[in-house]
């Protein structure tokens, strides 16, 4: 190779493009603002759903003297929906908040204690039944969920729970169904 040829090759080579940090920073800031806007819109939608469900009465508080426990369950609360409509999540009064849960079934009803979320009580007279389902409120679990159906005001509600030990679900379905048939006979 001659020196003229080397000079020609050197002149033809192009250096790599310089990164435009200002343009890149602008795109990153724009993307972050877009994500923040989406999050804000989802939060506003959640609050609006709660406003629309404002006619739902306050939830009964867990009574102090609940009686002797028939069954207990520890696991997760996955949410509540309008009965028969597994995607129509109820968010009013904290019913839309997924959380850990401890359920206790007594003669008086079902006490739902949720650390970090609002506890509530389902009176025995309000129980309408229990069943096993694969999903509720947009949450699908192949191992299944315990769904307790109950009446609150003029709304029939399905509440979904997942026990730490899924084998307990059948005992709950049987106990709630037995309790429901006993309270229906007393009505």
């Amino acid at each position: 190779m001659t020196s003229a040829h080397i000079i020609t090759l050197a002149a033809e080579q192009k250096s790599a493009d310089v990164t435009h940090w200002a343009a890149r920073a602008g795109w990153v800031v724009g993307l972050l603002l877009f994500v923040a806007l989406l999050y804000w819109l989802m939060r506003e939608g959640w609050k609006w759903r709660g406003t629309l469900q404002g006619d739902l009465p306050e939830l009964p508080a867990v009574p102090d003297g609940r009686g002797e426990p028939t069954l207990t369950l520890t696991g997760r609360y996955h949410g509540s929906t309008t009965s028969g409509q597994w995607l129509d999540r109820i968010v009013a009064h904290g019913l839309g908040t997924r959380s850990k849960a401890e359920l206790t079934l007594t003669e008086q009803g079902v006490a739902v204690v949720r650390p970090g979320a609002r506890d509530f009580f389902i009176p025995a007279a309000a129980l309408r039944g229990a069943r096993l389902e694969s999903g509720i409120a947009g949450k699908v679990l192949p191992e299944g969920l315990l769904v307790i159906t109950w009446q609150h005001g003029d709304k029939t509600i399905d509440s979904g729970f997942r026990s730490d030990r899924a084998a307990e679900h059948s005992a709950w379905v049987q106990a709630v169904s037995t309790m429901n048939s006993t309270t229906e006979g007393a009505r």
Side-chain angles (χ1 to χ4, degrees):
M1 250 188 211
T2 65
S3 62
H5 194 330
I6 293 174
I7 294 173
T8 306
L9 283 177
E12 290 177 5
Q13 287 183 349
K14 189 176 173 184
S15 64
D17 289 335
V18 176
T19 303
H20 297 285
W21 288 107
R24 184 171 286 180
W27 276 104
V28 169
V29 168
L31 181 63
L32 290 176
L33 287 173
F34 180 71
V35 169
L37 174 67
L38 287 178
Y39 176 77
W40 179 79
L41 288 172
M42 289 188 319
R43 188 169 182 269
E44 289 300 309
W46 185 270
K47 287 176 15 183
W48 178 249
R49 181 177 278 271
T51 301
L52 291 176
Q53 297 168 349
D55 61 337
L56 192 68
E58 277 294 322
L59 298 173
V62 177
D64 292 331
R66 292 184 287 229
E68 191 63 33
T70 306
L71 284 173
T72 59
L73 177 146
T74 57
R76 296 207 48 88
Y77 168 77
H78 285 282
S80 292
T81 63
T82 302
S83 183
Q85 299 177 16
W86 77 286
L87 289 175
D88 185 21
R89 181 188 293 268
I90 297 173
V91 300
H93 308 300
L95 286 176
T97 306
R98 290 185 176 145
S99 61
K100 289 185 176 186
E102 298 172 6
L103 276 67
T104 305
L105 177 67
T106 66
E107 292 176 346
Q108 293 181 345
V110 179
V112 181
V113 176
R114 303 185 302 157
R118 184 185 284 181
D119 301 341
F120 62 96
F121 184 72
I122 306 170
L127 289 171
R128 298 294 178 259
R131 66 187 184 283
L132 300 177
E133 289 285 340
S134 61
I136 192 166
K139 181 71 172 184
V140 177
L141 295 169
E143 303 87 25
L145 292 166
L146 168 66
V147 176
I148 297 176
T149 303
W150 53 293
Q151 189 72 33
H152 186 58
D154 61 350
K155 190 177 227 46
T156 305
I157 298 173
D158 287 340
S159 294
F161 303 92
R162 173 77 177 133
S163 174
D164 291 337
R165 294 171 297 283
E168 296 177 335
H169 291 173
S170 298
W172 273 82
V173 169
Q174 181 64 35
V176 170
S177 298
T178 302
M179 179 179 269
N180 184 36
S181 63
T182 304
T183 54
E184 280 183 357
R187 287 184 224 169

